[in-house]
Amino acid sequence: MKIGTFLIAAAMLALLVSAGCTDSGSQSSGGGSSSGNSDGLTYSLSSGPVQHYRSDGTCYYRVETVDVRNNGADDARNVVARCNLVDPSTNEVVDTYSKYFEVIEAGDHQGFSVSLNGECGTAYKLEVEISRDEK
């Protein structure tokens, strides 16, 4: 009984994790080269920041799916993707989220979804900076 419950939970977790890890292909609305010491690392976005509502009717957060790809010949270690939700009218960063990857193998990619807090009705943009430290 415990093994069956574990297998169901593992399958659900695998589906949840893989949902943000698929290749966005032609759906990519943006992307760019990485920053800092991160040769070969690029990213793509599944869409721009999207406004969502909480159960109490407020709309304080945005969600974005980011795919970080290692196009280099070597594994990338200690990779950090820093996501900034930016108000384009003021160019002010209103919220930030960072995702750490210990290793992204050469030719592989890692995806993740991010929720960032913002004001209702503002058309934010998402800026992503990719860096790594080989130390």
Side-chain angles (χ1 to χ4, degrees):
M1 183 68 166
K2 290 182 181 181
I3 293 174
T5 304
F6 173 77
L7 290 175
I8 291 171
M12 291 177 65
L13 180 62
L15 287 172
L16 179 64
V17 169
S18 67
C21 294
T22 59
D23 188 2
S24 61
S26 62
Q27 294 177 350
S28 176
S29 67
S33 298
S34 52
S35 63
N37 181 24
S38 37
D39 298 329
L41 293 172
T42 59
Y43 70 90
S44 62
L45 307 176
S46 62
S47 66
V50 179
Q51 180 174 291
H52 291 269
Y53 295 89
R54 291 189 175 131
S55 59
D56 66 358
T58 59
C59 51
Y60 292 105
Y61 63 99
R62 312 289 197 244
V63 175
E64 180 63 52
T65 301
V66 181
D67 187 59
V68 180
R69 181 170 297 278
N70 181 0
N71 297 313
D74 298 319
D75 293 351
R77 301 195 180 284
N78 302 317
V79 176
V80 176
R82 183 178 174 101
C83 303
N84 296 315
L85 188 65
V86 178
D87 183 341
S89 64
T90 62
N91 217 25
E92 178 183 343
V93 174
V94 297
D95 198 10
T96 299
Y97 175 82
S98 295
K99 177 71 175 176
Y100 171 76
F101 301 99
E102 186 173 338
V103 177
I104 301 178
E105 295 177 0
D108 198 9
H109 66 102
Q110 295 289 323
F112 64 97
S113 294
V114 60
S115 295
L116 298 164
N117 294 314
E119 297 285 328
C120 291
T122 302
Y124 293 104
K125 64 180 180 178
L126 187 74
E127 293 179 352
V128 180
E129 299 170 4
I130 310 294
S131 62
R132 72 178 180 183
D133 183 9
E134 292 295 332
K135 295 179 184 177

